[in-house]
């Protein structure tokens, strides 16, 4: 059985993580993911592989596969039910594991997160940053809620479960990375709305 270091890991591996799956699936969300990746992929060159930390049921990986079928894809997911669904739905290697512990894998041309760093206990965030950096051969992409300073936000009635900050800034400062591009996806976007998050494309 997997051992957890934080309450946040237990939260997402358990019943709340299972309920999240039911709220976050379907053709509309897949389309939104695909539209976002269409913007991001214009900024990266000669990529053949990608790894997602916290892939849930694999919608990002499915979108990437639809757009670039030759990509070698890997995902890590802490929730066992989500990992199984991703394994069944994705043309990808899916690993049921925490992303806080050191990951020996890759390297991959792209290492990325989407709506995952915001749920990591801040005391263990550097461990996830280290995994992103070590797994990435060239690019790191983070698509997360942004705030210029670290802040904790109540999430569906739960405290200490959602943390906003400048994740990209942390990575730039910590690893001397180059900012390639960034963009904001508004929840009222007429074409492919998402939940007010900002994506950043960084390069080693």
């Amino acid at each position: 059985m997997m051992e957890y270091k934080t309450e946040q890991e237990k939260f997402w591996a358990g019943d709340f993580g299972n309920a999240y799956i039911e709220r976050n699936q379907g053709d509309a969300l897949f389309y939104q993911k695909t539209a976002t990746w269409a913007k991001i992929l214009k900024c990266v060159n000669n990529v053949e592989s990608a790894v997602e930390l916290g892939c849930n049921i694999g919608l990002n990986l499915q979108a990437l596969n639809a757009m670039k079928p030759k990509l070698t894809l890997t995902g890590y997911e802490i929730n066992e039910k989500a990992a199984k669904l991703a394994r069944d739905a994705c043309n990808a290697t899916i690993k049921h594991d925490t992303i806080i512990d050191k990951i020996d894998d890759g390297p991959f041309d792209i290492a990325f997160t989407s709506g995952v760093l915001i749920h990591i206990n801040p005391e263990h965030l550097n461990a996830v940053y280290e995994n992103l950096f070590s797994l990435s051969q060239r690019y790191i992409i983070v698509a997360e809620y942004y705030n210029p300073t670290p802040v904790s936000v109540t999430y569906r009635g739960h405290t200490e479960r959602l943390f906003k900050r400048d994740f990209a800034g942390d990575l730039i400062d910590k690893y001397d990375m180059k900012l390639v591009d960034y963009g904001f996806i508004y929840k009222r976007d007429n074409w492919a709305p998402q939940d007010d998050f900002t994506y950043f494309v960084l390069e080693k």
Side-chain angles (χ1 to χ4, degrees):
M1 184 176 179
M2 193 183 305
E3 295 185 6
Y4 306 118
K5 296 179 180 177
T6 70
E7 290 300 316
Q8 289 78 13
E9 289 173 290
K10 295 176 185 176
F11 184 72
W12 286 101
D15 291 340
F16 189 91
N18 292 339
Y20 178 89
I21 295 169
E22 302 305 318
R23 297 194 306 271
N24 290 272
Q25 57 181 294
D27 291 343
L29 189 55
F30 170 75
Y31 170 76
Q32 293 163 3
K33 298 285 189 184
T34 303
T36 300
W37 278 106
K39 297 177 182 180
I40 293 173
L41 289 175
K42 290 192 298 184
C43 308
V44 299
N45 298 306
N46 301 320
V47 295
E48 297 179 356
S49 60
V51 59
E52 181 176 14
L53 301 188
C55 67
N56 200 249
I57 63 172
L59 287 177
N60 283 301
L61 298 173
Q62 291 177 53
L64 281 169
N65 181 248
M67 300 184 72
K68 293 181 73 70
K70 292 184 179 181
L71 276 182
T72 299
L73 300 171
T74 298
Y76 283 79
E77 174 54 41
I78 196 169
N79 184 281
E80 187 174 10
K81 181 178 179 181
K84 183 181 185 305
L85 290 170
R87 200 171 287 123
D88 292 342
C90 296
N91 183 20
T93 300
I94 306 297
K95 303 186 180 184
H96 174 222
D97 208 349
T98 178
I99 61 171
I100 287 177
D101 293 340
K102 180 174 174 53
I103 298 174
D104 292 315
D105 202 352
F108 303 88
D109 294 321
I110 297 173
F112 73 95
T113 66
S114 179
V116 169
L117 297 180
I118 55 172
H119 298 302
I120 299 296
N121 185 307
E123 294 182 5
H124 294 267
L125 193 54
N126 279 328
V128 183
Y129 287 163
E130 187 62 32
N131 279 329
L132 280 170
F133 189 77
S134 65
L135 288 168
S136 167
Q137 188 161 254
R138 185 172 182 185
Y139 297 104
I140 292 177
I141 297 167
V142 291
E144 307 283 345
Y145 294 144
Y146 169 85
N147 205 65
T149 56
V151 60
S152 178
V153 179
T154 300
Y155 178 60
R156 291 185 171 265
H158 298 272
T159 59
E160 299 298 308
R161 294 295 182 269
L162 194 155
F163 310 92
K164 296 182 182 182
R165 65 194 297 143
D166 183 2
F167 299 103
D170 288 350
L171 289 162
I172 291 169
D173 293 341
K174 186 175 178 66
Y175 299 109
D176 193 28
M177 299 197 73
K178 173 187 174 183
L179 176 64
V180 176
D181 197 15
Y182 62 94
F184 175 72
I185 310 295
Y186 186 36
K187 64 187 174 187
R188 297 189 182 186
D189 183 89
N190 291 324
W191 183 247
Q194 290 208 47
D195 194 20
D196 291 352
F197 74 79
T198 306
Y199 67 83
F200 296 87
V201 181
L202 310 178
E203 186 175 10
K204 287 187 169 181

